Amino acid sequence: MDFRELDRLDRRALLRGTAMLGAGAMMMRPLPTLAASGPMAAIRKAAEAGKEASVKRLRDWIALPSIAAENRNMAEGAAYMAELARDAGFSNVEIVPTDGQPGVFGTIDVGAPRTLGIYFMYDVKQFDPAEWSSPPLEGKMVDKPGFGLSIVGRGAVNQKGPEATFLAALHAIRAAKAKLPVNIVLICEGEEEIGSPHFRQVATKPNVLAALKKCDGIFIPFASQDKTGAVDVNLGSKGIIELELIASGEKWGRGPKGDVHSSLKAMLDSPAWRLVQALQTLVTPDGNTPAIEGWFENVRPLTEREKMLIREAAKGADEAAEKQALGVNVWIDNLKYDDALIRLAQEPTVNIEGLVAGYTGPGGKTILPGRAVAKLDLRLVPNQTRAEAEKKLRAHLDKHGFTDVEMNVSGGYDPTEVAEDSRLVRTELATYKALGVKANINARLAGSWPGATFTAPPVSIPAAHFGIGHGSGAHAPNEYYLIDSTNPKVAGMVDATMGFAEFLYTLAAIK
Amino acid sequence: MDFRELDRLDRRALLRGTAMLGAGAMMMRPLPTLAASGPMAAIRKAAEAGKEASVKRLRDWIALPSIAAENRNMAEGAAYMAELARDAGFSNVEIVPTDGQPGVFGTIDVGAPRTLGIYFMYDVKQFDPAEWSSPPLEGKMVDKPGFGLSIVGRGAVNQKGPEATFLAALHAIRAAKAKLPVNIVLICEGEEEIGSPHFRQVATKPNVLAALKKCDGIFIPFASQDKTGAVDVNLGSKGIIELELIASGEKWGRGPKGDVHSSLKAMLDSPAWRLVQALQTLVTPDGNTPAIEGWFENVRPLTEREKMLIREAAKGADEAAEKQALGVNVWIDNLKYDDALIRLAQEPTVNIEGLVAGYTGPGGKTILPGRAVAKLDLRLVPNQTRAEAEKKLRAHLDKHGFTDVEMNVSGGYDPTEVAEDSRLVRTELATYKALGVKANINARLAGSWPGATFTAPPVSIPAAHFGIGHGSGAHAPNEYYLIDSTNPKVAGMVDATMGFAEFLYTLAAIK
C-alpha cells in the first residue's frame, strides 16, 4: 500500500490537502480519559487487562515475516493469519487459494443489522537486518521521544500493529462479555507489498463476494495519528501503474544483444539511446505533464468542494517548513502553494522511479549496454483506469515507432473514491469526534492503495482506512508501532484498541 | 588502456579493420625455430635459461596488485617497479611524484645512436576474487586449450606479463653478454586504469621530457597475437572522454534534493526527467550521431589510403560470424559491412555506458529520485581534442538551458596518430616480418589509449604497442598470459622475449 510509505518522508501533512473538521483544532479532552465510564468502561477494562497478551500476539506475529517478493513463509503466514482470526472469534475461517499467494477469509455474524468489512494484509516488506538498530524480527521495546514506548520490528506499523490492535478490540469486547454491535467480514491477503496481483481472486470468490457486498464499507486498520494527534480521512486516492520500460537489442533487432565494447557505438545502434528517445515522448519538455496520447480523456477535474477542502488545508500548513523538509525551492510550474496542492491531488503523473542501464558502479566502464530499463510509476486520477492507462501507453509507444520497447507492468491499482456522505466516512468522522481526535478531510490522497478492489464492481462498497495510534518507518529500517504513549494527544495501543471499539458502536448507531 | 578491454569481447578482428601485410597470409616458419642460429642464438639460450626466473618475477609482481582506484599498494607498487627496472639494468631510476600516484623513470644509455622509449603501467584493474577460478594473486599455471600453459592472475596480460617479458629480454641480452643495440628510456605510471590523470606530470618532468624527446618512438609491451598468430599494427586510435552527466535537485534548484515519495511528482519537478531531456539533445533522434554544437568542426575525414586499408581488411573478415558474436542483426544505419567498418574508424561517438537513478533493484519503488546520472563515453577522432570536446559539450548543455546539469569528467585521452612511414612503425613491420608473424595494418583503432601523452607536444614522438605472445581477460576474471605455447603460430614467453630482442636489433639496423 503505497501511501503508507509516505510517513517515511514525514510529509503526510503536505500530502493530504486537509481541512480541519470534527472536534476542531484543539482536542476536547486528553486521550487517557476516553471511555472511562459508561457502556465502554468494561471493554476498556478488558483491553487493559489484555494488553500484555495483545503485545505478545503482535510480537509473535512480527517474528513470522511473510514476504511475497521472496516467497518466504507464505503458507505459514496464511495459516497463522487464519489462526489469529479464529482466535479473535471469526468463524468459517478459510484459506483462499489464488494463482499467487493465498488469502484468508472469515466472518463474525452476530445477526446485527449492519456489517463492517475489515481488510488485512499478512505480508510485510523485505528488510535488511544490517540496517536495523535492533533485530527486525525481535520486537524490541524502544522509547521514541515525543511518542513513548514502541515495539520495533518489520511489519510493526505496516500493518501488523494496527491489525493486532483491531483484533485486540474484538478480544476485549468478548472478554467484557459485551455484544458485538455489528457483523464483521474479514478479508486478508499476502501479496499487498507486491501490488496485490491476485487479491481480486480472493475478493470475487463467490462466498467472499457475497459477504463483502453486505458490508456498509470496509477499512484497513491504520495508525493514523501524527504527533499533534490529528488524523486524515481520505475521500479517495490516486491509482497507479508501476512498470518497467525496457529497450533491448534482443527485442529491437538492432544494437547488441548483450553488453559490448563501447567503441562499437560507431557501428552499432544503442538500446540505451533508444530508451532515452522513447522516454522523452512520454512527457512535455519540462518533464511535468504526461504527453501520452489520450491520457486526459477520462480525467475528472476536481470539484469546487474538493478544491475548497485543499485550499482550506493549505491555509493551516507551513509552506516554508514543507519546502525545507522536501529540499525544494519552488513548486512545479512555479505554482503558489495552494495551487501546487490542488495540482498534487488533480493531475496524473508519469514519474521515473529509477533508471538502470549498463555499468552503474563508481566511475565508468567502456561498454555499450545491450539493455536499458526505466522504472516508472504512473499515478492515475478518477476516472482513469489501470487497464486504460496500460493500453494507451502501449498505443503511444507503438504510434511513435517504439514497438520494440517492452512494457513490463509489475502492479497497479485503479483510483478510488469514497463519498463524503457514505456511512463509512460519516462513521469515521463521528468516531473521531467522539474520541476527541482532530480529523482532517483529505480530498484525494496522491498516493495509492488497493481500495479499488472494493470500490469497483463487482464489490462496489466504500473503502477507507481508519484508526488512531501511531507508528512510522513502513518499508524502512527500525519500523515501529507505539504501545505506551507519553504524548497526551496520541493513542497508545490500549487507546487505539478503544478507538476501534468506538467505531463499531458508532457504526451500529449512526443514521 | 581502453583498447585492451577489447579482447574480453574476442572481437579484435572486427575492430582493427586490418589489411594483411608483412610475411603474407601464412607464416614463413614456425615460431619455435626463431633465432635458433646466428647472433641471436646466445640471447635465446639465455632467455631459455632465465625462463624460470622470468616467470617467478612475473608471479611475484602479480602477487603485489597496485590499484589506484582503491589506493591500494601504490607506494609499494612504485618501489617494486623501480626495483624491477634497476634489476633489468636501468640506471638513474627514480620515483617521480605527481599530484596523484607516482610514476617511475629510468634509462639505459649504451651510447647507441638510437633510443627506444618503453611505456609501462604498474597498476592493475580491480578484481573480485569470488569471480575467479583460482586466486587472482596466486599466479596459478593453467592449461588454456588452443594456446598452452598460462599464468592466471590479475595483471597477467594487462600489463605485467608483456612488461615482464620485455624485462626478460633485457636480462637475456645482458646474460648473453651481448651489447644492447639501442638506448632505452623507461617511463611507468600507476594510474593507467583510472585514465592516467597525472601521467603528463611524469612525462613532462624536465629530465624525463628531455629523455623522451631523444626517442625514435615509444611502445607499450603487448601480447598481440590471436589464435592465428596474427598481430595488429595500429596507425592511431580514437580519443575518449569519460564523464558523468548529473541532474540533481541540489544543483538545479528545482525538484527535490533527495529521494521523495513518487506521488509528489504532481507538485515537484523531476531531476530524472531533466536528465532525459538533456541527454536527448546530444544525439540525432536515432541515437547514432553526435548533435553537440560544433562537434565535427575539427574532424579529419579518413584518407583514401586509410579507407582502402579498411576495405581490404573487410574482405578477409567473416561478417556473419562477427554479427553472431556481437548479437546484432544489422549494422548502424543499415550499412554494408565495409562501410560500417569505415564508420567505426571514422566517426566520433556519444555512447551511454550506464544510467543510474533512483531505485535500481528488482521490481519498483515509488520514489521521485533527487539525482540522476548518465555515464557517457565520447570517442574522439583526429583532430578533435579532449579539451575541445569538454568545452563544446559544456557549451552545448548551457546553450540548451541545462546549465545545472553537471559534467563530471573522470578521464580521457586525445586521439593519436602514428605515421605509417615512421621508424617505429617500420621497425614493427620489419620485426614481425623477420619473426614470420602476420601483421595487419589497422588504420585507426576505435578504442583509446594514453599514447597522446607521447604523440602530442611537448613530447611529440611516435607511440604504439608492440609484442608477440598471447593472453586474455584484461579487466575480467581469470585473466591469463601464455607461458608455454602449444600453438605453433603463437609465441610463448621465451619466444615473446625473443620478439622484443629482435625489435631492438631491428630498430638499431633499420634505415
Side-chain angles (χ1 to χ4, degrees), chain A residues 46-70:
Chain A
E48 282 168 353
K51 183 190 140 193
E52 285 310 308
S54 296
V55 172
K56 180 177 188 307
R57 197 180 294 122
L58 172 55
R59 182 174 288 116
D60 290 348
W61 201 4
I62 286 170
L64 178 72
S66 298
I67 300 176
E70 299 173 352

Side-chain angles (χ1 to χ4, degrees), chain A residues 2-3 5-6 8-9 14-15 238 240 242 244 253-270 272-273 275-277 279-280 282-288 326-334 337 340-341 343-344 347 349-369 372 375-377 379 410 446-447, chain B residues 2-3 5-6 8-9 14-15 238 240 242 244 253-270 272-273 275-277 279-280 282-288 326-334 337 340-341 343-344 347 349-369 372 375-377 379 410 446-447:
Chain A
D2 173 68
F3 70 87
E5 291 179 37
L6 300 180
R8 291 178 55 189
L9 309 162
L14 175 70
L15 288 154
K238 289 188 181 180
I240 188 172
E242 269 193 281
E244 292 179 335
R254 305 192 69 93
K257 290 192 176 63
D259 298 349
V260 299
H261 193 266
S262 74
S263 62
L264 292 165
K265 179 66 199 86
M267 68 187 298
L268 295 179
D269 286 84
S270 161
W273 280 120
L275 180 70
V276 167
Q277 298 295 355
L279 282 174
Q280 59 101 7
L282 301 182
V283 292
T284 48
D286 59 10
N288 286 339
L326 290 169
V328 303
N329 300 330
V330 288
W331 305 116
I332 201 167
D333 299 341
N334 300 319
Y337 184 51
L341 287 175
R343 195 186 194 287
L344 175 68
E347 295 298 312
T349 58
V350 178
N351 176 59
I352 297 177
E353 297 178 348
L355 294 171
V356 202
Y359 178 69
T360 58
K365 187 174 174 185
T366 47
I367 57 168
L368 191 179
K375 294 170 185 285
L376 304 182
D377 64 66
R379 302 275 171 182
S410 57
Chain B
D2 173 68
F3 71 88
E5 291 179 36
L6 300 180
R8 292 178 55 189
L9 309 162
L14 174 70
L15 288 155
K238 288 188 181 179
I240 188 172
E242 270 193 281
E244 292 179 333
R254 305 192 69 92
K257 290 192 177 61
D259 297 350
V260 300
H261 193 266
S262 74
S263 62
L264 292 165
K265 180 65 200 87
M267 69 187 296
L268 296 179
D269 286 84
S270 160
W273 279 120
L275 180 70
V276 167
Q277 298 295 354
L279 282 174
Q280 60 100 9
L282 302 182
V283 292
T284 49
D286 59 8
N288 286 340
L326 290 169
V328 302
N329 301 330
V330 288
W331 304 116
I332 202 167
D333 299 342
N334 299 319
Y337 183 51
L341 287 175
R343 195 186 193 288
L344 174 68
E347 294 299 313
T349 57
V350 178
N351 176 60
I352 296 176
E353 296 179 349
L355 294 171
V356 202
Y359 178 69
T360 58
K365 187 174 175 186
T366 47
I367 56 168
L368 190 180
K375 294 169 186 285
L376 304 182
D377 63 65
R379 302 274 171 182
S410 57

Side-chain angles (χ1 to χ4, degrees), chain A residues 390-471:
Chain A
E390 285 189 39
K391 197 173 151 193
K392 284 181 173 171
L393 176 56
R394 182 71 267 167
H396 171 94
L397 290 169
D398 291 350
K399 184 178 166 185
H400 285 74
F402 297 104
T403 52
D404 54 291
V405 173
E406 292 174 84
M407 273 174 60
N408 178 14
V409 178
S410 57
Y413 309 123
D414 286 333
T416 62
E417 293 188 276
V418 56
E420 200 173 347
D421 63 357
S422 65
R423 187 170 289 133
L424 183 71
V425 171
R426 287 188 293 113
T427 302
E428 289 202 22
L429 295 172
T431 305
Y432 286 133
K433 185 172 182 179
L435 295 170
V437 168
K438 184 174 74 167
N440 306 297
I441 295 190
N442 183 10
R444 180 185 294 157
L445 189 75
S448 308
W449 75 298
T453 305
F454 307 115
T455 59
V459 184
S460 305
I461 58 174
H465 56 288
F466 174 81
I468 54 176
H470 172 80

Side-chain angles (χ1 to χ4, degrees), chain B residues 200-216:
Chain B
R200 187 167 292 266
Q201 294 178 16
V202 183
T204 57
K205 182 165 180 276
N207 62 323
V208 179
L209 177 60
L212 285 174
K213 288 181 78 71
K214 288 181 195 155
C215 296
D216 285 86

Side-chain angles (χ1 to χ4, degrees), chain A residues 42 55 67 98 154 163 194 206 208 215 227 290 320 343 345 362 364 454 466:
Chain A
V55 172
I67 300 176
T98 72
R154 174 48 87 228
E163 290 169 352
I194 58 167
V208 179
C215 296
K227 66 183 175 191
R343 195 186 194 287
F454 307 115
F466 174 81

Side-chain angles (χ1 to χ4, degrees), chain B residues 118-135:
Chain B
I118 293 293
Y119 163 69
F120 272 22
M121 52 187 280
Y122 68 81
D123 63 323
V124 298
K125 195 74 179 175
Q126 302 99 298
F127 57 89
D128 176 0
E131 298 174 345
W132 289 61
S133 305
S134 64

